[in-house]
Amino acid sequence: MEFSLTDGKGKKFQFPVNPEEVTISRQKGFDTTTILSYGEFDFPQGEKVKEISFSSFFPKEYNPAYCTYEDIPDPQEAMNTLNGFLLSKNPLRFIITETAVNVPVIVASHNSTFRGGEYGDVNFDLSLRTWSDMKVAKKAGVTGSKTAAVNKKPRTDMKEKKKTYTVKSGDSLSKIAKLELGDSSQWSRIYQLNKKVIGQNPNAIKPGQKLVLS
């Protein structure tokens, strides 16, 4: 699965680490649904998506445990790219492969966070708003300046899934917390949620164990 933004010239920016979750706020009734990573996605046509937001980070070093490709951008350059998108007046196309999310958007906000103990990594929060080109057409039988604005309104819907993680060989609670929650210090919370499964030693997790993350 890939998360990417593409500008009008075909230049693609792919996020090196997939977010843990994506929040999509729909226009009707301001309903908000969260999509958990590695879950099933269902996006039937209908209501127009109003806002898409997610959080992730730009790692300083490539790590195959959570990076989706090897030639990752420098965190500072990646931040500059997002800032450029924020200042741009031209729409982008936001795509999540393996889903039906393929929509024109503008970058509404971009916040960066530097955390101690994670030298060189840059955490970020990104908010996108869907964009539609207003088409103006003359009404049948009417001449002059009388026109009607027509906007296409796609609809989205989602199935919410419980967030779990199956332990793999070489995993540790801090590694899982970094990959799935974006913060390695959250390992203790994962341990408390799964103490009966893991046992008294938090370092004794075993491949195949299914851990609850939220």
Side-chain angles (χ1 to χ4, degrees):
M1 182 178 294
E2 296 179 359
F3 287 67
S4 64
L5 286 168
T6 305
D7 64 17
K9 298 179 180 179
K11 185 178 179 181
K12 176 181 176 182
F13 176 80
Q14 181 180 341
F15 293 91
V17 179
N18 288 347
E20 173 198 350
E21 60 185 30
V22 177
T23 300
I24 297 183
S25 175
R26 294 178 292 176
Q27 188 174 30
K28 184 177 180 180
F30 302 99
D31 185 23
T32 302
T33 303
T34 299
I35 312 170
L36 301 181
S37 61
Y38 309 115
E40 296 179 3
F41 295 80
D42 187 13
F43 298 92
Q45 295 297 315
E47 298 168 5
K48 178 183 177 182
V49 175
K50 183 180 180 181
E51 185 173 279
I52 304 172
S53 58
F54 59 89
S55 302
S56 186
F57 69 101
F58 296 122
K60 180 65 176 179
E61 303 291 340
Y62 168 76
N63 188 323
Y66 46 78
C67 294
T68 57
Y69 59 96
E70 292 188 18
D71 190 19
I72 60 174
D74 177 81
Q76 297 296 326
E77 294 179 0
M79 280 200 308
N80 290 338
T81 297
L82 290 187
N83 287 334
F85 288 159
L86 179 65
L87 297 175
S88 175
K89 296 181 179 179
N90 297 319
L92 307 163
R93 181 158 292 276
F94 178 59
I95 300 174
I96 306 177
T97 60
E98 301 178 34
T99 76
V101 176
N102 187 331
V103 292
V105 298
I106 58 172
V107 176
S109 65
H110 166 227
N111 300 310
S112 301
T113 304
F114 300 87
R115 294 174 178 166
E118 298 176 1
Y119 178 76
D121 292 358
V122 177
N123 297 271
F124 69 87
D125 301 305
L126 189 66
S127 178
L128 310 172
R129 294 184 69 88
T130 54
W131 178 91
S132 60
D133 189 7
M134 181 176 291
K135 296 182 179 180
V136 180
K138 292 182 179 180
K139 293 182 179 179
V142 179
T143 59
S145 61
K146 294 181 178 181
T147 59
V150 179
N151 288 314
K152 295 182 179 180
K153 297 182 178 180
R155 179 178 59 190
T156 187
D157 197 1
M158 287 142 277
K159 293 180 179 179
E160 187 172 346
K161 297 292 179 180
K162 184 177 180 181
K163 184 164 183 60
T164 60
Y165 180 87
T166 301
V167 177
K168 302 179 182 65
S169 178
D171 277 345
S172 64
L173 291 183
S174 60
K175 178 179 177 181
I176 294 171
K178 174 70 174 180
L179 174 62
E180 296 296 320
L181 304 180
D183 184 356
S184 59
S185 67
Q186 293 295 313
W187 71 267
S188 58
R189 183 167 71 87
I190 298 176
Y191 176 60
Q192 292 302 321
L193 290 172
N194 300 274
K195 194 171 183 179
K196 291 183 179 180
V197 176
I198 299 172
Q200 295 300 315
N201 184 357
N203 295 317
I205 60 175
K206 300 176 182 179
Q209 287 179 324
K210 193 171 185 178
L211 306 181
V212 176
L213 302 184
S214 61

